[in-house]
Amino acid sequence: MSARETILLVDDEREIVKLMEIYFKNEGYRLLQASDGMEALELLQSHDVDLIILDVMMPRMDGIEACMRIREARDMPIIMLSAKSQDIDKIAGLSIGADDYVTKPFNPLELMARVKSQLRRYKKFSYRPAESRDEIQIDDLVINFATHTVTVDQQEVKLTPREFAILKLLAVNRGIVLSMDKIYEEVWNEPFMESKNTVMVHIRKIREKIERDPQHPRYIKTVWGIGYKMEAN
């Protein structure tokens, strides 16, 4: 059984909600339900949520807008659901702050596995034992592992859990070039399956948030033909 993490499922298809309610309860999770983005935002004002499953197509406020609104203040994992399966749709979902993307119709067991994977990864990259180093500073960039925060020039920037995981990986290994497949396997915790675009999209989003000039980055450097590194300080 899980440690009673709370999952917010946002979907207006009642059949999916009822089905997943059975799976989540069997696994010991607490489940909150919303039928659109506006209802989800209201629930987040009064409940602590560990992970959100967010459908793209919904009335009043769709999943895309809801994801962007959530990311303005929250950093819990977000899994997007969509009937669209084209790569461009997946990249769009990841670009706005989602951590994973599941295409409808889906196998409930696969969704459960992705939920567990995201929760494990979030705990791994947001918690550090007391005796370990809790903070890395590179020039004006400060990454705090204990508080799961990032500041640039003393201004806090909001990263998604996966963006934070990538930045942490590069910072801990600063000065070392990490290939895209290495980054993917470490952060996504699964074999690299020709997912270069996925890594590149996340690196671009991180640069947009931490770099003064994303076109001429000073923190995350591209090593052409190999991968990425953070310059040692």
Side-chain angles (χ1 to χ4, degrees), residues 102-121:
V102 176
T103 303
K104 292 181 175 181
F106 57 84
N107 184 326
L109 292 176
E110 178 189 356
L111 180 57
M112 289 299 306
R114 289 175 182 264
V115 165
K116 292 177 181 179
S117 176
Q118 287 295 329
L119 288 172
R120 283 196 305 268
R121 186 173 300 114

Side-chain angles (χ1 to χ4, degrees), residues 72-110:
E72 292 176 358
R74 305 295 185 99
D75 66 351
M76 77 283 284
I78 296 177
I79 299 176
M80 301 292 289
L81 299 179
S82 177
K84 299 180 179 181
S85 60
Q86 297 296 319
D87 285 343
I88 188 64
D89 297 314
K90 295 180 181 180
I91 291 173
L94 296 171
S95 296
I96 59 159
D99 299 284
D100 204 350
Y101 187 105
V102 176
T103 303
K104 292 181 175 181
F106 57 84
N107 184 326
L109 292 176
E110 178 189 356

